[in-house]
Amino acid sequence: MQKANIIFFYGPPATAKSYVAQQVAKQTGYVYFNLDEFYVKVKAQTEVDKLNKLMQVFQAEPKNYVVDGFLDKKAQAVVFFEHYQKPRYIVYFQSSKDEVEQNIRLLSKEDQKKCRFQRFTSFLQNRDEMLSYLKKFQFYVTVDAVQKGLSNNFQQSSDLIIQSIMSFLKPTVLVALTYNNEDLAEVYLNKLETELGYKHLHLETLCEEELAKGTPQGKQMGAFLNSGQVVPPQMQIELLRKYLYNDPQQNKFILTSFPEKYQEFRTFEDKLFPITGLINFLKEGKTVSFSAKINPVLHYSAEGKNLIIQNEDLGPFQSYLTKRVKYGIVIGPVMTGKTTFAKYISQKFGFNLIEWGETAITQLKEKLSTVPGEQIEELTLPMIIKYYKELFSNVTNEKYVFDGFPPGCDKPEQILQFLNLGSASWILNIGIDQTNQWIRFKIKSEMDAAAEMTDDDKEKMITNAKSHEEILKQVQLYVQQQPDCKLFKQDTNYSLEQNYKSIDQIFGKRVYLASILANLDSDIYEALKLIYINIAAKHKMSFVDVEQLIAKNFDKLSNDYEMRWTKQNCKNPSNFAPETVMKLVKQYIDDLPIQSRDVLLWGYISADQQGDKQQQEQMFPRATDELMMVEKQLGQIKVLYAITEQPLNSEINDPEWVLEKPEVPPPKQEGDGGDDEPKDGGNADGDENVPKFNIYNYQWTKSEVPKNMAQIFMKVKQPNPVQLEVSDYSFKLIYDNFDELFQSIQENNNNTYFAQIQLQQPIMD
């Protein structure tokens, strides 16, 4: 027997339940059902009568309902759940007693106040017992009915409540662009339906079916088509609404033949909800094409939601949706420093470290024991694999680094078993030559530096090296089968500092900055921004509009951090400490559905931007602070674009500061007394053979003017300079030129560029 699909709204009066219920019903296409009005209509008086008549109407008309109200007492709820059905959701409007009473006084008409206060008193009498029962069920959810204060701002607060409710009602919807590779799209969409349970909705087919049925909506569509017009997006959206919300058991959809204009996507998201992502089917070797206008591909690329599919593997699709755990393994022979590097990766890049030392094994034995405070006797490899499989399946969006393989994992089949406990993102193979390995062995063993390697020691190292070679073979086999896993090699024959820098290049972001140092009108600003969105989309970069990000988080930022007084645009990044800005940027990047090693920051560095600055604003924050914090928080800056109207001075020409050397006093004679001077070749601390610091042995310059972004970047990074002169008719030169820079960086990760983009006339009339 078909049953109704019911969402109950439960809570005190004067918390916007009725308004919110009506709006949610409208957005989902559900039937709005006011419980109080129903009881009056059917003349239900007793609790039993109310319950029976409610179940009767749901049985007679099993539709999708948003019910404004809920049963009064726990006993009624028990009967309803056990003898009729459990609802899809019960949404509890949580609010304090003071807030509710204030809302009743301020939001109610005089003739309503007495009734609402009585209902609130009755609600409070039954609430605690009801909530203790409801909290046992997964379908019980709460929303904050206070928000910004209904009595102060009803519309804004109620809209926030609606957004909160719709966030867990909305289905997963992806739009597939199939025209670039229709054969692959057909196979892939079929796999999504048969293997992952997605429903494929072909919008054009849905419209044709609606026309054939002769429904009122179908006749309206027919009128547009018969007159040679396109069916309006609003009408298509209303048609989709019926399918997206109709069956609560089917909440995963792929849309095709969807309108391809950006504005039509915006209409969909404004009227329904943001789509989960864009599936862009491309042929192997193809990239996102340049577009002179914003389109869905560029828009969702900038939001990290453009999923490019070029083969039949469902792995990238599943990774995109589930935000699965990311983990890697550091491997290498003994004395290569793999534990040191695993710890460094953990601390510097936020990975959870998993070690195999005695303490870690003891803790794992305790976790696997069924008796609190005790340990299991033997920890086997299958037990370790099972534990981490379960751990990784129950957490999302976390990062882990393994310090090598666990004890007892040395045979080829065991290595592959461990590697397959999930989907590894990377494996770092540490290499070292035998001479340096022996030196490290002597240091760790506290042996004499001149000691020779014994035959036994040689044999141990040879055996260990061969064992590692076998491990590496299995790792390489695994990486070949896992396109999303990367194998990195780290040569540790150099200093620790050099090794850390190499690891930074592997795990740190590569950052590209577009700093706007010109006063641009909105058209030019948006045209230039579109160029950089194109660049990010083509090269699969994470794109961050820093000023826009600050605007979205402005309320929180201004509460957490006291802004400086300024006449500039209050959302300009330079109004906040660089550390605050980078923390926000880093969080945004980490939350993007699609991650990238390359990050493009639009509108940053900001300290040198033109504006009406006060004298004290000339000093803080400086471009130096912003540049330093980018590299500290994100990674190495590979390209810094300076968009200017006038040539930018990138050289430091501070005047020389000549120090007048005082006369040297005659040497002291024996018996003159006074403190002993350090002898030549030493210093005041008693260190021998260290020359004394002499200020006059150095060249000095003086400057009262802070250095600009270009001067600091050129001095510290010593990048390759690039000069481009463009107008609005030739902005694409920036896009074309970037291909050369990016290719150069791919070939040599040490390459860095400073590109000055000088805007020339004509600029848009």
Side-chain angles (χ1 to χ4, degrees), residues 239-487:
L239 177 61
L240 281 172
R241 193 190 302 274
K242 293 196 303 185
Y243 288 91
L244 297 178
Y245 287 109
N246 184 55
D247 181 3
Q249 304 303 316
Q250 179 62 60
N251 61 357
K252 300 188 296 184
F253 300 91
I254 305 292
L255 306 184
T256 55
S257 78
F258 194 79
E260 295 171 7
K261 293 182 180 178
Y262 169 63
Q263 191 55 48
E264 291 165 333
F265 274 78
R266 287 289 303 273
T267 302
F268 177 94
E269 294 195 335
D270 289 343
K271 299 297 181 182
L272 287 173
F273 46 79
I275 67 170
T276 308
L278 197 68
I279 308 176
N280 192 0
F281 291 100
L282 296 179
K283 293 183 178 179
E284 292 282 359
K286 296 293 183 180
T287 59
V288 174
S289 301
F290 177 84
S291 174
K293 293 183 178 181
I294 191 69
N295 60 33
V297 171
L298 293 181
H299 172 72
Y300 291 108
S301 292
E303 292 190 347
K305 294 167 69 172
N306 178 36
L307 179 62
I308 295 176
I309 299 296
Q310 296 179 303
N311 56 54
E312 297 179 19
D313 181 20
L314 292 179
F317 180 88
Q318 292 173 300
S319 296
Y320 174 84
L321 287 173
T322 58
K323 291 188 176 180
R324 290 183 294 186
V325 163
K326 295 179 176 63
Y327 68 92
I329 308 172
V330 181
I331 63 173
V334 295
M335 301 301 160
T336 54
K338 62 182 177 60
T339 297
T340 299
F341 297 125
K343 288 180 178 178
Y344 179 77
I345 292 167
S346 169
Q347 294 166 1
K348 179 73 182 285
F349 301 103
F351 284 79
N352 297 296
L353 178 63
I354 300 174
E355 301 177 278
W356 305 114
E358 185 176 339
T359 302
I361 294 296
T362 300
Q363 291 174 347
L364 194 52
K365 285 182 176 181
E366 290 176 353
K367 289 178 181 178
L368 294 176
S369 174
T370 56
V371 181
E374 295 189 11
Q375 303 177 23
I376 58 173
E377 292 185 6
E378 183 182 7
L379 182 63
T380 64
L381 183 62
M383 293 167 70
I384 294 174
I385 292 173
K386 181 183 178 183
Y387 173 79
Y388 283 107
K389 269 189 175 180
E390 292 176 354
L391 174 66
F392 289 173
S393 64
N394 291 324
V395 295
T396 58
N397 222 20
E398 288 286 342
K399 300 187 295 185
Y400 294 85
V401 53
F402 287 99
D403 178 12
F405 290 101
C409 184
D410 46 20
K411 295 179 181 178
E413 62 275 12
Q414 293 173 327
I415 293 166
L416 285 178
Q417 285 175 10
F418 186 80
L419 287 169
N420 285 305
L421 64 84
S423 180
S425 303
W426 55 268
I427 298 169
L428 179 64
N429 178 41
I430 307 295
I432 191 172
D433 64 37
Q434 195 176 65
T435 301
N436 285 322
Q437 190 178 18
W438 173 235
I439 292 171
R440 293 184 186 181
F441 178 80
K442 288 192 291 184
I443 294 171
K444 191 166 185 178
S445 304
E446 297 182 350
M447 294 173 59
D448 187 87
E452 294 292 330
M453 185 184 293
T454 66
D455 291 341
D456 286 344
D457 291 333
K458 286 181 181 179
E459 186 62 31
K460 287 179 183 178
M461 288 199 174
I462 291 171
T463 302
N464 182 264
K466 288 182 178 179
S467 175
H468 177 68
E469 287 175 6
E470 292 301 317
I471 290 174
L472 189 57
K473 286 180 183 178
Q474 301 306 315
V475 166
Q476 290 169 334
L477 181 63
Y478 173 82
V479 172
Q480 289 172 4
Q481 298 169 349
Q482 299 288 335
D484 291 336
C485 182
K486 296 181 180 179
L487 176 61

Side-chain angles (χ1 to χ4, degrees), residues 710-721 750-754:
Q711 291 170 326
I712 294 298
F713 193 70
M714 291 294 289
K715 180 71 174 179
V716 176
K717 302 288 288 186
Q718 298 182 350
N720 300 307
N750 292 319
N751 285 342
T752 306
Y753 293 90
F754 172 72

Side-chain angles (χ1 to χ4, degrees), residues 611-623:
D612 185 9
K613 296 184 179 182
Q614 302 299 305
Q615 183 61 38
Q616 64 270 26
E617 290 184 85
Q618 306 296 327
M619 298 301 295
F620 179 82
R622 297 168 299 176

Side-chain angles (χ1 to χ4, degrees), residues 27 44 137 161 184 190 242 271 293 350 363 378 442 497 529 533 542 591 593 603 612 626-627 637 660 682 699 714 729:
Q27 291 190 34
F137 300 101
I161 297 170
L184 174 61
N190 182 60
K242 293 196 303 185
K271 299 297 181 182
K293 293 183 178 181
Q363 291 174 347
E378 183 182 7
K442 288 192 291 184
E497 183 181 0
K529 179 179 174 181
I533 290 176
S542 298
D591 290 341
D612 185 9
E626 294 181 325
L627 289 166
I637 300 169
E660 294 184 8
Q699 286 186 319
M714 291 294 289
Y729 297 108

